[in-house]
Amino acid sequence: MPDSVPFIRALVEKYDRPGPRYTSYPTAPQFQAAFAEDDYRALVAQSHRADSPKPLSVYVHVPFCRSLCYYCACHKIITHHTERAVEYLDLLKREIRLQAALFDDDRRLTQLHLGGGTPTYLSNAQLGELMASLASAFRFAPAEAREFSLEVDPRTVTPARLHELRELGFNRLSFGVQDFDAEVQAAVNRIQSEARVIELVEAARSAAFHSVSVDLIYGLPRQTVASFDETLDRIIALRPDRIAAYSYAHLPERFKAQRLIRTEDMPPPTRKLELLELTIRRLTAAGYVYIGMDHFALPDDELVQAKRHGTLQRNFQGYSTHGDCDLIGLGVSAIGKVGESYSQNVKEISAYRDRLEAGRLPVLRGYRLDADDRLRRDVIHELMCHGRVDVAAIEACHGIDFQGYFAEALAALSGMQEDGLVVLSEGRIEVRPEGRLMLRNLAMAFDAYLGERANYSRTV
């Protein structure tokens, strides 16, 4: 897929409508309560019988935060009672033991990610306990083959803590910055200084972290083109390896915290598109490569190399070079992917505790993919990761006639072809540079569930 990202305002406005982000297919609204612990255990056992069992990836959800960021749509618990983290860590250790008992010892754990909430709500000593528990339960890949990352709230760590985290085995960091503008920070209740972020990025480099990422959000209250341009100036000067610039999805009817944002502070839709255009122009001019779906990286980054070599993957954390793993979700609300299934844990700590104390996995719901799901997932993955679909390869893999099976989808794409977003030929679907911002829209043509009720963010 070419690296250029043309921003054509008329097309962006035309296709900016609600749609899934496709970190999975089917997406989370399709998960079912009928999928229970027994289903999960059976699919784990089935995953071992594959000719080449996949390596393991682990996601750990730490739900605690000390303060509420008004924009946040993540599953979190706001508390200053740190003793809750002590109990939670004990519960995580129980779940780790239960999960590890299901997996063969020869399957290496190659990827680990801690998200939240705020993973650094846990002290370094507690994070050390967590890492020790994981290391005793799973077979870690060699250090040079691991991708062990965690999300960092700059307000919760010091340079010394970062050096300790590196010693614990983490080799990638993601800093939540969002915006440096003081008015924007006040409007979303997340006050943090630029000086602290600079200090921490420098400390991460001196500690020899393999990759430093920065998260930004455009479309926040009180943001202007001029103010966000200044934030981009400062981020570009920091030169992080990766930048994730997320579109803010304002859904106050769904997320209670967002109701604390004043309606009059929200930027109009036209400004949000201006902010996106600005972000793409500034970051690509500074040498960053647009991976897709909010993600930018420096040219020598592993994500860029994977994109160019056709090995890029996508999972619940976004784009990845380790996406083709069996993913184990640990902690409240965590989502996993094992074999041809997805699963999600219970969301309340009380229910999490009750199930673990009873010796049960805390699976709340999930989904087992059928043949049609697997076919559509593969097509959507090709579009989202590689910007093309090899029709013959899909036909050979799934035993279908592509033109006949996807007649309705191809009819939907024909209008997008007329708009210059995609090229349709007998043996190939190819995303044009003008369509790279509309990958979600292109993928939606192959989604069998869009007619069912769901509340999605906008696609651009």
Side-chain angles (χ1 to χ4, degrees):
M1 190 192 300
D3 288 337
S4 60
V5 195
F7 187 96
I8 302 173
R9 177 65 61 86
L11 287 177
V12 171
E13 290 178 344
K14 178 177 179 177
Y15 287 98
D16 184 23
R17 61 188 181 91
R21 301 188 66 82
Y22 295 113
T23 50
S24 72
Y25 180 85
T27 56
Q30 305 310 319
F31 293 3
Q32 301 163 358
F35 184 101
E37 180 181 359
D38 289 347
D39 298 286
Y40 179 79
R41 288 179 177 272
L43 284 157
V44 171
Q46 182 178 313
S47 75
H48 299 320
R49 297 193 291 270
D51 292 339
S52 298
K54 295 178 179 180
L56 300 180
S57 173
V58 167
Y59 170 74
V60 182
H61 190 76
V62 181
F64 304 109
C65 297
R66 292 184 181 275
S67 61
L68 178 65
C69 301
Y70 297 163
Y71 58 80
C72 184
C74 299
H75 180 74
K76 70 272 184 189
I77 298 169
I78 311 301
T79 180
H80 287 274
H81 297 289
T82 55
E83 66 273 11
R84 297 191 67 180
V86 175
E87 179 202 18
Y88 188 71
L89 183 57
D90 287 340
L91 294 173
L92 278 175
K93 292 176 183 177
R94 291 192 185 201
E95 189 183 8
I96 288 168
R97 290 192 294 271
L98 285 174
Q99 285 278 9
L102 303 180
F103 289 87
D104 291 346
D105 292 339
D106 60 349
R107 298 181 68 176
R108 290 183 172 182
L109 196 160
T110 62
Q111 185 182 52
L112 169 68
H113 182 76
L114 273 60
T118 306
T120 45
Y121 185 96
L122 300 179
S123 69
N124 280 12
Q126 289 171 325
L127 289 169
E129 286 183 50
L130 176 61
M131 292 295 283
S133 181
L134 288 166
S136 66
F138 295 99
R139 184 184 177 196
F140 281 9
E144 65 275 9
R146 299 178 198 164
E147 183 179 288
F148 285 9
S149 62
L150 80 165
E151 299 166 9
V152 175
D153 181 342
R155 301 170 298 175
T156 64
V157 295
T158 62
R161 274 201 76 183
L162 293 188
H163 282 266
E164 293 169 3
L165 290 171
R166 185 68 183 94
E167 291 172 3
L168 289 177
F170 294 101
N171 55 20
R172 293 177 180 270
L173 293 178
S174 175
F175 291 107
V177 173
Q178 324 315 352
D179 195 311
F180 280 131
D181 185 81
E183 288 193 14
V184 175
Q185 291 185 1
V188 298
N189 195 41
R190 187 185 175 98
I191 309 298
Q192 59 188 21
S193 73
E194 178 187 356
R196 167 60 65 88
V197 174
I198 293 172
E199 179 184 40
L200 293 175
V201 170
E202 291 175 349
R205 289 188 173 126
S206 69
F209 278 89
H210 296 176
S211 178
V212 175
S213 303
V214 167
D215 292 346
L216 302 175
I217 300 178
Y218 66 90
L220 290 174
R222 298 190 187 176
Q223 270 182 345
T224 67
V225 172
S227 71
F228 201 59
D229 197 27
E230 291 185 13
T231 288
L232 291 171
D233 274 338
R234 298 166 186 174
I235 293 298
I236 290 169
L238 279 176
R239 205 70 179 165
D241 301 282
R242 299 177 184 176
I243 298 172
Y246 296 109
S247 169
Y248 171 55
H250 190 56
L251 301 169
E253 67 282 359
R254 182 176 172 188
F255 302 110
K256 186 176 180 181
Q258 295 183 358
R259 299 171 201 167
L260 297 170
I261 294 175
R262 300 195 313 167
T263 303
E264 57 269 30
D265 286 341
M266 287 300 299
T270 53
R271 185 182 303 162
K272 192 173 184 182
L273 295 182
E274 291 170 352
L275 292 167
L276 172 59
E277 183 177 14
L278 170 73
T279 300
I280 293 170
R281 176 171 54 80
R282 290 297 314 278
L283 294 183
T284 54
Y288 285 90
V289 176
Y290 179 69
I291 304 296
M293 285 291 297
D294 318 313
H295 288 67
F296 299 80
L298 292 175
D300 59 352
D301 187 87
E302 290 177 356
L303 280 182
V304 176
Q305 300 308 311
K307 173 176 172 288
R308 289 179 175 162
H309 296 146
T311 59
L312 189 66
Q313 303 284 327
R314 189 162 172 79
N315 61 23
F316 291 104
Q317 280 76 58
Y319 286 106
S320 172
T321 58
H322 292 258
D324 194 26
C325 295
D326 276 333
L327 170 62
I328 303 168
L330 300 172
V332 291
S333 80
I335 296 177
K337 173 187 176 293
V338 175
E340 302 296 349
S341 73
Y342 306 117
S343 59
Q344 184 173 29
N345 279 352
V346 296
K347 297 183 178 181
E348 297 79 21
I349 288 183
S350 57
Y352 185 64
R353 180 195 311 110
D354 290 345
R355 297 203 185 193
L356 290 171
E357 288 181 347
R360 298 172 54 204
L361 292 172
V363 176
L364 171 67
R365 60 179 188 151
Y367 191 92
R368 185 193 296 248
L369 283 72
D370 62 23
D372 179 73
D373 294 326
R374 295 193 294 272
L375 165 60
R376 294 174 184 274
R377 176 201 60 191
D378 288 354
V379 173
I380 288 171
H381 174 272
E382 292 299 302
L383 285 170
M384 299 294 288
C385 291
H386 311 306
R388 62 182 180 275
V389 177
D390 184 331
V391 170
I394 293 292
E395 289 179 330
C397 180
H398 294 276
I400 63 157
D401 171 65
F402 196 96
Q403 299 290 328
Y405 198 100
F406 286 119
E408 187 176 337
L410 293 171
L413 288 180
S414 65
M416 300 183 194
Q417 179 172 239
E418 292 175 4
D419 285 336
L421 305 185
V422 66
V423 176
L424 306 177
S425 63
E426 186 174 338
R428 197 173 181 85
I429 300 173
E430 189 84 32
V431 179
R432 300 190 71 236
E434 292 80 1
R436 296 192 65 205
L437 292 178
M438 277 66 84
L439 289 176
R440 292 166 72 182
N441 302 83
L442 296 170
M444 286 162 66
F446 294 93
D447 191 329
Y449 300 101
L450 281 181
E452 301 183 18
R453 185 179 64 85
N455 197 356
Y456 297 116
S457 61
R458 301 187 75 83
T459 55
V460 182

